[in-house]
mmCIF file with all atom_site columns, all heavy atoms in Angstrom:
data_model
loop_
_atom_site.group_PDB
_atom_site.id
_atom_site.type_symbol
_atom_site.label_atom_id
_atom_site.label_alt_id
_atom_site.label_comp_id
_atom_site.label_asym_id
_atom_site.label_entity_id
_atom_site.label_seq_id
_atom_site.pdbx_PDB_ins_code
_atom_site.Cartn_x
_atom_site.Cartn_y
_atom_site.Cartn_z
_atom_site.occupancy
_atom_site.B_iso_or_equiv
_atom_site.pdbx_formal_charge
_atom_site.auth_seq_id
_atom_site.auth_comp_id
_atom_site.auth_asym_id
_atom_site.auth_atom_id
_atom_site.pdbx_PDB_model_num
ATOM 1  N N   . THR S 1 97  ? 131.355 7.600  105.900 1.00 0.00 ? 97  THR S N   1
ATOM 2  C CA  . THR S 1 97  ? 129.934 7.102  105.769 1.00 0.00 ? 97  THR S CA  1
ATOM 3  C C   . THR S 1 97  ? 129.950 5.617  105.324 1.00 0.00 ? 97  THR S C   1
ATOM 4  O O   . THR S 1 97  ? 128.919 5.141  104.911 1.00 0.00 ? 97  THR S O   1
ATOM 5  C CB  . THR S 1 97  ? 129.193 7.903  104.701 1.00 0.00 ? 97  THR S CB  1
ATOM 6  O OG1 . THR S 1 97  ? 129.960 7.916  103.481 1.00 0.00 ? 97  THR S OG1 1
ATOM 7  C CG2 . THR S 1 97  ? 128.955 9.361  105.160 1.00 0.00 ? 97  THR S CG2 1
ATOM 8  N N   . ASP S 1 98  ? 131.072 5.024  105.527 1.00 0.00 ? 98  ASP S N   1
ATOM 9  C CA  . ASP S 1 98  ? 131.110 3.588  105.136 1.00 0.00 ? 98  ASP S CA  1
ATOM 10 C C   . ASP S 1 98  ? 130.439 2.723  106.182 1.00 0.00 ? 98  ASP S C   1
ATOM 11 O O   . ASP S 1 98  ? 130.017 3.182  107.233 1.00 0.00 ? 98  ASP S O   1
ATOM 12 C CB  . ASP S 1 98  ? 132.560 3.198  104.801 1.00 0.00 ? 98  ASP S CB  1
ATOM 13 C CG  . ASP S 1 98  ? 133.489 3.605  105.946 1.00 0.00 ? 98  ASP S CG  1
ATOM 14 O OD1 . ASP S 1 98  ? 132.952 4.078  106.933 1.00 0.00 ? 98  ASP S OD1 1
ATOM 15 O OD2 . ASP S 1 98  ? 134.672 3.533  105.720 1.00 0.00 ? 98  ASP S OD2 1
ATOM 16 N N   . SER S 1 99  ? 130.496 1.465  105.866 1.00 0.00 ? 99  SER S N   1
ATOM 17 C CA  . SER S 1 99  ? 129.763 0.512  106.705 1.00 0.00 ? 99  SER S CA  1
ATOM 18 C C   . SER S 1 99  ? 130.434 0.172  107.969 1.00 0.00 ? 99  SER S C   1
ATOM 19 O O   . SER S 1 99  ? 131.507 0.675  108.306 1.00 0.00 ? 99  SER S O   1
ATOM 20 C CB  . SER S 1 99  ? 129.463 -0.720 105.864 1.00 0.00 ? 99  SER S CB  1
ATOM 21 O OG  . SER S 1 99  ? 130.734 -1.437 105.775 1.00 0.00 ? 99  SER S OG  1
ATOM 22 N N   . ILE S 1 100 ? 129.817 -0.632 108.742 1.00 0.00 ? 100 ILE S N   1
ATOM 23 C CA  . ILE S 1 100 ? 130.361 -1.053 110.051 1.00 0.00 ? 100 ILE S CA  1
ATOM 24 C C   . ILE S 1 100 ? 131.647 -1.863 109.872 1.00 0.00 ? 100 ILE S C   1
ATOM 25 O O   . ILE S 1 100 ? 132.354 -2.064 110.752 1.00 0.00 ? 100 ILE S O   1
ATOM 26 C CB  . ILE S 1 100 ? 129.278 -1.813 110.827 1.00 0.00 ? 100 ILE S CB  1
ATOM 27 C CG1 . ILE S 1 100 ? 129.674 -1.844 112.303 1.00 0.00 ? 100 ILE S CG1 1
ATOM 28 C CG2 . ILE S 1 100 ? 129.088 -3.193 110.269 1.00 0.00 ? 100 ILE S CG2 1
ATOM 29 C CD1 . ILE S 1 100 ? 128.539 -2.347 113.195 1.00 0.00 ? 100 ILE S CD1 1
ATOM 30 N N   . ASP S 1 101 ? 131.841 -2.371 108.642 1.00 0.00 ? 101 ASP S N   1
ATOM 31 C CA  . ASP S 1 101 ? 132.993 -3.143 108.402 1.00 0.00 ? 101 ASP S CA  1
ATOM 32 C C   . ASP S 1 101 ? 134.237 -2.313 108.261 1.00 0.00 ? 101 ASP S C   1
ATOM 33 O O   . ASP S 1 101 ? 135.379 -2.817 108.113 1.00 0.00 ? 101 ASP S O   1
ATOM 34 C CB  . ASP S 1 101 ? 132.848 -3.980 107.116 1.00 0.00 ? 101 ASP S CB  1
ATOM 35 C CG  . ASP S 1 101 ? 132.051 -5.241 107.412 1.00 0.00 ? 101 ASP S CG  1
ATOM 36 O OD1 . ASP S 1 101 ? 131.887 -5.537 108.552 1.00 0.00 ? 101 ASP S OD1 1
ATOM 37 O OD2 . ASP S 1 101 ? 131.610 -5.859 106.438 1.00 0.00 ? 101 ASP S OD2 1
ATOM 38 N N   . THR S 1 102 ? 134.099 -1.024 108.269 1.00 0.00 ? 102 THR S N   1
ATOM 39 C CA  . THR S 1 102 ? 135.267 -0.117 108.199 1.00 0.00 ? 102 THR S CA  1
ATOM 40 C C   . THR S 1 102 ? 135.851 0.080  109.558 1.00 0.00 ? 102 THR S C   1
ATOM 41 O O   . THR S 1 102 ? 135.173 0.159  110.515 1.00 0.00 ? 102 THR S O   1
ATOM 42 C CB  . THR S 1 102 ? 134.812 1.241  107.612 1.00 0.00 ? 102 THR S CB  1
ATOM 43 O OG1 . THR S 1 102 ? 134.151 1.029  106.402 1.00 0.00 ? 102 THR S OG1 1
ATOM 44 C CG2 . THR S 1 102 ? 136.021 2.139  107.384 1.00 0.00 ? 102 THR S CG2 1
ATOM 45 N N   . ALA S 1 103 ? 137.227 0.173  109.560 1.00 0.00 ? 103 ALA S N   1
ATOM 46 C CA  . ALA S 1 103 ? 137.823 0.424  110.846 1.00 0.00 ? 103 ALA S CA  1
ATOM 47 C C   . ALA S 1 103 ? 137.421 1.761  111.431 1.00 0.00 ? 103 ALA S C   1
ATOM 48 O O   . ALA S 1 103 ? 137.305 2.725  110.795 1.00 0.00 ? 103 ALA S O   1
ATOM 49 C CB  . ALA S 1 103 ? 139.362 0.436  110.674 1.00 0.00 ? 103 ALA S CB  1
ATOM 50 N N   . ALA S 1 104 ? 137.107 1.758  112.730 1.00 0.00 ? 104 ALA S N   1
ATOM 51 C CA  . ALA S 1 104 ? 136.521 2.975  113.333 1.00 0.00 ? 104 ALA S CA  1
ATOM 52 C C   . ALA S 1 104 ? 137.556 3.679  114.200 1.00 0.00 ? 104 ALA S C   1
ATOM 53 O O   . ALA S 1 104 ? 137.385 4.835  114.555 1.00 0.00 ? 104 ALA S O   1
ATOM 54 C CB  . ALA S 1 104 ? 135.371 2.641  114.148 1.00 0.00 ? 104 ALA S CB  1
ATOM 55 N N   . SER S 1 105 ? 138.649 3.127  114.588 1.00 0.00 ? 105 SER S N   1
ATOM 56 C CA  . SER S 1 105 ? 139.547 3.792  115.407 1.00 0.00 ? 105 SER S CA  1
ATOM 57 C C   . SER S 1 105 ? 140.952 3.208  115.230 1.00 0.00 ? 105 SER S C   1
ATOM 58 O O   . SER S 1 105 ? 141.043 2.082  114.739 1.00 0.00 ? 105 SER S O   1
ATOM 59 C CB  . SER S 1 105 ? 139.183 3.766  116.885 1.00 0.00 ? 105 SER S CB  1
ATOM 60 O OG  . SER S 1 105 ? 139.575 2.529  117.395 1.00 0.00 ? 105 SER S OG  1
#
Side-chain angles (χ1 to χ4, degrees):
Chain S
T97 53
D98 47 9
S99 72
I100 197 167
D101 279 346
T102 306
S105 78

